[in-house]
Amino acid sequence: MSDKLPRKLLSKAEWIALFRDGLHGGADAFARHVRKLAGRLGEADPEMVAALIAELGRNPALRSAFAPNPVDADSRLKLLRETWPVVLPVQPVWAPGVADALAHVVAEWQGAAKLREAGLSPTRSVLISGPPGVGKTLAASWLAMELNVPLFTLDLATVMNSFLGKTGQNLRLALNHAMATPSVLLLDEFDAIAKRRDDDSDVGELKRLVNVLLQAVDGWGGESLLVAATNHPDLLDPAVWRRFDLAVSMDMPEPAMTARFLAGHGLAGRDLDYAQRLVEGASFAHVERWLRMARKESLLRGTPLLQAMVGAVARDRHNMPEGKMSRDLKILALHREGKSAREIGREVGVSHPTVQSVLRRMREENGQE
């Protein structure tokens, strides 16, 4: 380590701002100043930067400031997307078994010191599987938020370098950085880089990545949690499964879960009952999109939220596979717009008694008659 530092790492005003923000709790501003200092110090004395990282390792914001995100050597693009701090607007909704498993992971990390004193370690790696839109990536965000550490997400588009051999090198750089920094590392679309090694459709380069991943999961440790998410668990190499400390399976939401999700977004009473009927069988991702569409219409046109949501669901499901739009949804949407049974019948192409029958049945199903 050099005993000589550059004469001017920071200006006088920058030094004052650094101390002010550090003393008075401006963590985000302090981290920005530290990043600037790290960039200038790193060029002059990398060993000193490494020593400072060791001292600041318990603070994820400062550690990431002194350990820059690795980049692809050719494109200079970052291999990891960093989210810090992680803030979720609403509490996620999961099945009891899933919620319990994730809560146990948090409890283990919060009691990591006690576990290590007994020769044990907290859960190092979690593999989450399930259909799209059920909350797999949200689970990684929630874990990072609860543990108060950054969330790193592997950027597959950047990692997959077109030059032979560079992809594996990029992957190692990204994994090593995340493992050395207190964080949650999310490997989304995990099946894209952890396919079965007997899959003849892939080139050798991708197959070699599986070996890199297996070695990384085997040796995962430090102050980081590895989370992998996949929509296609059947595509994963069998050797991957047994290397993860915990496997969590998520399914499409049950009606009670959907009701909790809608209630968390401000719906209540009869509006909640109608909305639950509308979105039955849909993933949380779809429901959230319909709510977002409805809020925009409600804000711009003054349409009641539920009426706007009925229209959003009807438009979005129109002509989708398996007849999800359904004549009944369109009838309900037009009814919520204030049209009479005769007007609805003419627009949908059915008799007005049929319209009345559909509306009566839907009210009965929602317990409103």
Side-chain angles (χ1 to χ4, degrees):
M1 186 184 301
S2 172
D3 292 329
K4 293 185 178 181
L5 296 176
R7 293 185 63 183
K8 198 163 186 177
L9 286 169
L10 298 175
S11 69
K12 181 179 178 180
E14 288 171 334
W15 278 115
I16 293 172
L18 172 66
F19 277 84
R20 182 186 63 239
D21 291 324
L23 290 170
H24 298 290
D28 292 339
F30 187 42
R32 285 196 298 272
H33 293 305
V34 172
R35 284 188 175 93
K36 185 178 294 185
L37 175 62
R40 297 175 188 176
L41 185 60
E43 297 173 2
D45 197 334
E47 291 183 28
M48 186 171 180
V49 174
L52 286 171
I53 291 173
E55 294 298 324
L56 300 170
R58 301 304 300 177
N59 187 311
L62 296 179
R63 183 177 183 122
S64 62
F66 276 88
N69 196 324
V71 299
D72 176 72
D74 300 303
S75 67
R76 307 307 297 172
L77 295 174
K78 292 182 178 180
L79 301 176
L80 295 166
R81 296 192 301 273
E82 180 179 353
T83 305
W84 172 256
V86 180
V87 179
L88 300 180
V90 295
Q91 184 70 13
V93 175
W94 291 301
V98 172
D100 186 59
L102 297 177
H104 269 81
V105 173
V106 171
E108 288 183 11
W109 276 95
Q110 290 174 340
K114 188 174 183 179
L115 289 175
R116 287 175 178 136
E117 287 175 2
L120 302 170
S121 61
T123 298
R124 301 172 307 156
S125 54
V126 181
L127 178 55
I128 306 176
S129 61
V134 295
K136 298 185 297 297
T137 56
L138 183 65
S141 296
W142 183 83
L143 287 167
M145 181 181 71
E146 291 295 307
L147 296 175
N148 194 31
V149 296
L151 172 68
F152 290 128
T153 303
L154 186 70
D155 192 327
L156 285 177
T158 305
V159 168
M160 297 295 189
N161 191 297
S162 59
F163 292 96
L164 189 64
K166 289 290 185 68
T167 300
Q169 179 181 330
N170 280 346
L171 185 57
R172 288 188 187 92
L173 282 173
L175 294 171
N176 289 341
H177 176 78
M179 187 159 54
T181 307
S183 61
V184 171
L185 171 62
L186 171 62
L187 305 180
D188 206 1
E189 301 180 12
F190 190 52
D191 46 276
I193 49 175
K195 282 187 175 181
R196 301 173 63 97
R197 282 170 290 186
D198 58 2
D199 184 350
D200 294 331
S201 65
D202 278 326
V203 297
E205 173 75 353
L206 291 181
K207 292 180 180 180
R208 283 190 288 273
L209 289 185
V210 178
N211 293 326
V212 175
L213 281 171
L214 295 180
Q215 293 168 8
V217 177
D218 279 341
W220 198 260
E223 298 293 322
S224 304
L225 173 65
L226 174 64
V227 178
T230 177
N231 299 334
H232 305 286
D234 53 307
L235 296 181
L236 295 181
D237 191 290
V240 169
W241 287 92
R242 59 178 176 268
R243 283 173 161 83
F244 279 81
D245 291 345
L246 175 67
V248 177
S249 177
M250 293 185 175
D251 298 316
M252 295 296 285
E254 298 288 337
M257 293 167 59
T258 302
R260 283 173 52 207
F261 184 85
L262 291 167
H265 285 76
L267 288 164
R270 289 190 173 185
D271 282 0
L272 175 59
D273 294 336
Y274 265 118
Q276 184 179 351
R277 164 80 172 119
L278 277 174
V279 303
E280 184 176 351
S283 70
F284 288 139
H286 279 106
V287 177
E288 189 170 25
R289 183 170 78 240
W290 295 329
L291 280 166
R292 187 166 57 251
M293 293 166 63
R295 284 200 183 94
K296 288 190 286 187
E297 180 179 338
S298 181
L299 179 64
L300 295 174
R301 300 184 180 180
T303 309
L305 180 60
L306 180 61
Q307 182 177 325
M309 188 170 178
V310 170
V313 175
R315 288 192 302 273
D316 204 33
R317 284 185 160 179
H318 185 60
N319 291 329
M320 286 180 66
E322 302 176 6
K324 287 188 176 180
M325 157 60 185
S326 84
R327 176 200 64 186
D328 294 359
L329 261 182
K330 189 170 184 180
I331 288 174
L332 181 57
L334 294 171
H335 172 69
R336 299 296 295 184
E337 291 175 8
K339 295 188 176 182
S340 68
R342 291 187 183 277
E343 290 173 324
I344 296 172
R346 284 195 296 269
E347 188 163 337
V348 178
V350 297
S351 66
H352 73 273
T354 299
V355 172
Q356 293 169 334
S357 175
V358 168
L359 294 173
R360 186 182 309 111
R361 173 173 53 78
M362 295 184 82
R363 286 195 295 269
E364 290 171 352
E365 290 174 352
N366 283 290
Q368 295 181 20
E369 280 192 0

